[in-house]
Structures are given as structure tokens and as C-alpha cells.
Amino acid sequence: MAASFKPRIFSGIQPSGGLTLGNYLGALKRFVEKQEEGIETIYCLVDMHAITVWQDPEKLRQQTREAAAAFIAAGIDPKRSILFNQSQVSGHAELAWIFNCVARIGWMYRMTQFKDKTSGKNAENSSLGLLAYPSLMAADILLYHATMVPVGEDQKQHLELTRDIAAKFNHDYGTEFFPITEPVIEGAATRVMSLTDGTKKMSKSDPSDNSRINLTDDADTIAKKIRRAKTDPLPLPETVEGLKDRPDARNLVNIYAGLSGQPVAGVVAEFAGAQFGTFKPKLAELAVAKLAPITTEMNRLMKDPAEIDRILGDGADRADVIAAPILARTKEIVGMIGRG
Ligand code: AQP
């Protein structure tokens, strides 16, 4: 009989820059929904992933606190969910090493995110950590025996690799110790695209600030970025099908759907035949209404960094209570002698 695991959610965000509307709709908003469903939820600011590309140390600390503030401001309750930064729980690094010895190098080279991040550059000159990133991500998830991981569409391939690593570990050691985790990719905005190029993902590390909405942007900046967002000359279509070859238009409609909680078809029906001159101000109004309270609360929380650090420390202690026995058992399965 297959082993059964307690439903448990794990997910993370890299504090590699300020969080974007993409992180909010693809991840954060859904993290809050999962917390409200009453499932055990563990959320992590993955600072060890962030340093796979160079981070200024002072900025990394600031971005980690800012990301924690964004989680809380968006509705994560640090008493109900566990919220912490990855490097405080050493089991992530330890399990990642064991998984580095289970996973195959070829699996890593096939990851599109690795290819994207090294494209046009000398891949041989990127950090070893960037190549091994999915193995650390598998450790993040499996250290807690998480059964579900809410993510945006871009993380689907990494999640498949987590499943492959769990399956290979279980097979190699003749066990069913690790669960085969399910990705949870839901909602209208699982892939928010750049405002300046609807074929590219909105990303916190994009050199162009106009390509994204940051959770720290004020109302005027949000409205300006939406006004300048790339579109085409046609009015909005009558059907969802009509958005098919219009990436920029589709992106704005998806963002509207994600923010309003309506299905894409509902948004298309509401704005059928409208010009962008009509649609964009409505979108800007909605974005400001949804994001301004989060930004205000983030700014308030950021005034007390010591309190944020306390919350992260408390989260790390609680995460460690779950992680420690799972790591100890993994080492035992592998044949390592523990302290007894
Ligand atoms: N554009 C997006 N649309 C929907 N979901 C997104 N996510 C990120 N961008 C979008 C989701 O946010 C979670 C955290 O992602 P991450 O910060 O760990 O890494 P990422 O996917 O690489 O995000 P960025 O913004 O593109 O970061 P950089 O620029 O540092 O690489 C994930 O669930 C992701 O799916």
C-alpha cells in the first residue's frame, strides 16, 4: 500500500528584488487562499536561492524583510502559517546535498529557467548553485513532506523535477519515505507577463522597471505603468478566443481577471469592443484598489524591522520542529550515523 501523507502546503519566493504583481497573483494571493482553507501552510523566503545570482548583502537583508512584510500585508498570518527565511533552517542545505547526489546533472541542464537565465551569456561561468537550484527547491519542499505546492506556471518544470527526485530517492533506497508532491497551478493569472512585452514573464529582476508593477509602487506609478503598457491597435475582442494571438491584450485582461477574481470570460464579456483608452483606466483603478492597502501595510510593518526578524525567527523554530525528524530519518535511510 502506498504511504499516505498529511496534507501540507509549502511554497517560497526569492527575495531577489522587490515583489511584483506577478508574484502577488501567481503566488502570494493564492498562499493566502490556501491558509484560509485551513490546510497547514509553510511559506519561505528562499534567500539561499536568491544568492545563486549575485546579491548585494545589505539589499538582500532589506529585500527579505520587505518580502516578509508583503506576505503579512497580503494576509499571511504568521501564527496560522509558518513564515521564515530559508537560511535559518540548516536542513534545507543538508537535504539539498543528499538530493544533489540523487539527481542527475543532465536533469539540471534541461531546465528552461536555467537556460533562460544563462541565455546569451557563458553558462559555464554561472554559479554552480544556479544549475543545482532545482535540487535545493526539491529539498525545500520535501524537508517538510509537503504534499502540495502552489506556484505560478513558470515553476511547473521545477516541480516535476522535485517529483522525479522524490521518486528516484524512494526507488534507490527501496522506500516510500518522500511524497510525490502535487503542483497547484490555479487561477486566471498563473503567468503574468511583462507590461512592455506580452511574450515575456513579468519578473522582479527585469532591468526595465516599466515592465512590472512592484508591490511598493504608489497609485500614480501604477496608473502610469498601466497607461504605458504595450497594447495593439484593435479594440478588446468579443470572445476569449479573440485574445489568442494578442499577447499584450491577453495579459492585461488576465491581470484584470486575476485582480477582480472574475473568470477571463467574464472580463471579456464586460469589455467586449472597448478600446484600451477605456479599459486601461479601469484596470489601473482596480490595481490601485487591490494593491494600495497592501503597500500601506507593508510600509507600516517595515518601520519595525526587529519585529519582522522576530517573526522570521519564530517561524524558523517552528519549521525546524517539522524538518529535524524528517532530515534525521533521511540520513538514516542513506546510511549516515547520527549522534544517537
Ligand atoms: N510573472 C509571474 N506570473 C505568475 N507567477 C509568477 N511568479 C513569479 N513571477 C510570476 C511566481 O512567484 C513565485 C515566486 O517566484 P520566485 O521569486 O521564487 O522566482 P521567479 O519565478 O524566478 O520570479 P521572478 O520574479 O522572475 O524572480 P527573478 O527575476 O529573481 O528570477 C513562484 O511561485 C512563481 O511561479
Side-chain angles (χ1 to χ4, degrees):
M1 202 182 79
S4 73
F5 294 89
K6 182 176 170 227
R8 183 179 282 151
I9 283 189
F10 177 94
S11 201
I13 292 191
Q14 297 186 72
S16 47
L19 301 196
T20 70
L21 179 67
N23 296 128
Y24 175 67
L25 290 176
L28 212 41
K29 186 167 181 275
R30 294 171 43 244
F31 295 174
V32 176
E33 287 162 8
K34 293 292 162 203
Q35 171 187 272
E36 298 311 318
E37 284 171 22
I39 308 168
E40 188 181 0
T41 40
I42 305 175
Y43 296 126
C44 186
L45 308 168
V46 288
D47 48 6
M48 287 158 62
H49 283 277
I51 61 162
T52 56
V53 293
W54 165 255
Q55 303 291 330
D56 175 87
E58 211 33 69
K59 275 198 192 149
L60 179 62
R61 257 186 292 276
Q62 164 81 8
Q63 286 160 192
T64 307
R65 291 188 182 115
E66 199 177 277
F71 272 67
I72 299 166
I76 295 299
D77 173 355
K79 291 202 180 70
R80 281 193 288 153
S81 292
I82 294 179
L83 176 64
F84 71 108
N85 60 307
Q86 187 185 27
S87 58
Q88 288 205 51
V89 178
S90 60
H92 290 254
E94 293 184 67
L95 187 59
W97 181 258
I98 293 173
F99 286 167
N100 282 348
C101 303
V102 171
R104 307 289 93 182
I105 298 173
W107 297 0
M108 303 293 154
Y109 278 122
R110 279 199 289 276
M111 293 297 106
T112 50
Q113 196 172 83
F114 178 73
K115 289 188 209 161
D116 288 349
K117 288 202 170 177
T118 55
S119 70
K121 297 174 211 135
N122 180 1
E124 297 292 315
N125 200 30
S126 58
S127 75
L128 183 54
L130 191 65
L131 181 65
Y133 179 115
S135 173
L136 176 59
M137 181 164 157
D140 299 338
I141 296 163
L142 296 170
L143 186 60
Y144 302 95
H145 276 184
T147 54
M148 289 168 283
V149 182
V151 281
E153 187 71 43
D154 61 315
Q155 290 295 334
K156 195 167 175 231
Q157 198 188 27
H158 287 162
L159 251 299
E160 275 158 15
L161 200 78
T162 294
R163 292 161 65 90
D164 290 345
I165 290 175
K168 186 164 189 303
F169 182 98
N170 288 349
H171 174 266
D172 289 357
Y173 291 100
T175 175
E176 292 190 11
F177 186 61
F178 285 114
I180 308 299
T181 307
E182 290 296 331
V184 184
I185 303 173
E186 314 164 317
T190 53
R191 193 167 170 77
V192 178
M193 309 309 276
S194 156
L195 297 180
T196 48
D197 178 354
T199 63
K200 257 174 58 186
K201 186 182 88 155
M202 182 182 285
S203 185
K204 56 177 112 66
S205 59
D206 191 309
S208 160
D209 193 57
N210 282 330
S211 69
R212 62 178 164 263
I213 292 175
N214 305 299
L215 293 188
T216 48
D217 285 344
D218 60 24
D220 287 348
T221 310
I222 293 175
K224 193 176 73 195
K225 285 179 178 175
I226 291 179
R227 208 167 43 244
R228 290 190 184 160
K230 190 168 168 226
T231 46
D232 55 43
L234 301 174
L236 284 162
E238 309 279 333
T239 62
V240 176
E241 185 59 17
L243 288 169
K244 196 166 156 270
D245 298 314
R246 300 176 60 189
D248 299 297
R250 189 175 61 223
N251 187 33
L252 296 186
V253 170
N254 283 349
I255 292 174
Y256 194 101
L259 284 170
S260 66
Q262 283 181 73
V264 174
V267 181
V268 169
E270 188 179 337
F271 292 99
Q275 300 292 337
F276 283 103
T278 309
F279 178 69
K280 281 181 167 179
K282 293 275 183 211
L283 177 59
E285 202 179 299
L286 176 66
V288 170
K290 295 286 177 185
L291 300 181
I294 298 175
T295 310
T296 308
E297 180 61 3
M298 271 175 78
N299 291 338
R300 191 188 69 77
L301 292 163
M302 284 301 284
K303 289 199 181 109
D304 191 355
E307 174 58 9
I308 295 181
D309 292 0
R310 191 200 60 75
I311 290 170
L312 293 175
D314 175 64
D317 288 345
R318 285 155 58 213
D320 209 26
V321 169
I322 303 172
I326 293 177
L327 180 65
R329 177 70 190 127
T330 309
K331 289 180 177 174
E332 198 178 16
I333 291 171
V334 169
M336 294 166 168
I337 298 173
R339 280 211 196 133

